Amino acid sequence: MVVKTQCKGRGITGLHVGVNNVRRYFPKQIEAIELQLDHLSIRCGLSPDFWQGQPEIFDPRLCAWLENKHLHGKYDRSPVHLAMIPSGENSFRLQTVHQNGQFNGHSGGQPNGHSQDDAADKEPSGHAA
């Protein structure tokens, strides 16, 4: 699935997963997921709002990784698209989605065969974020 960074101010950056992705990939009973960020593995809690139209993940370690790896030197803070790849039970690996469509050494398409239209670009109302 393709997700995007979400900045809520200086030092508060997380992931906007998208309502459709939440329905497709996240069972309601889970309280936390594991994120693999390069060599680092972190456990991130999911708030009840995650399933109620606010599909966002915020964690200080995730914020530091996103700021350092993907937003460093970026002044406009426009969202960065990332691949969030299932890698086990309630576990996901984050990787960069390149502008040319390449991802994880493969060209064309999106992870898991889903287009970016299925990604975090749409809000529950169907309007672009």
Side-chain angles (χ1 to χ4, degrees):
M1 80 185 100
V2 179
V3 300
K4 65 183 177 180
T5 58
Q6 170 132 12
C7 185
K8 287 191 170 184
R10 188 171 180 86
I12 305 175
T13 302
L15 294 175
H16 181 86
V17 176
V19 173
N20 292 333
N21 285 332
V22 169
R23 287 185 194 127
R24 190 174 289 140
Y25 296 104
F26 297 87
K28 279 192 175 183
Q29 69 271 17
I30 64 171
E31 296 177 1
I33 61 168
E34 178 182 314
L35 288 178
Q36 297 170 19
L37 315 171
D38 297 329
H39 65 282
L40 179 66
S41 180
I42 63 171
R43 183 174 165 88
C44 298
L46 302 176
S47 74
D49 293 337
F50 185 77
W51 289 274
Q52 312 263 329
Q54 295 180 20
E56 302 162 349
I57 300 170
F58 288 95
D59 180 278
R61 298 159 298 175
L62 173 63
C63 175
W65 184 82
L66 290 169
E67 294 276 337
N68 184 50
K69 182 90 174 175
H70 297 285
L71 300 171
H72 183 72
K74 199 172 177 200
Y75 297 106
D76 65 358
R77 293 295 195 204
S78 58
V80 173
H81 289 91
L82 299 167
M84 194 168 169
I85 306 159
S87 62
E89 188 175 346
N90 304 327
S91 180
F92 300 87
R93 185 174 70 246
L94 281 181
Q95 287 186 313
T96 303
V97 174
H98 300 285
Q99 290 180 355
N100 63 4
Q102 286 192 337
F103 147 90
N104 195 22
H106 299 89
S107 61
Q110 295 300 324
N112 298 330
H114 299 290
S115 70
Q116 282 188 313
D117 290 341
D118 291 338
D121 293 327
K122 294 191 178 179
E123 294 297 329
S125 63
H127 296 243

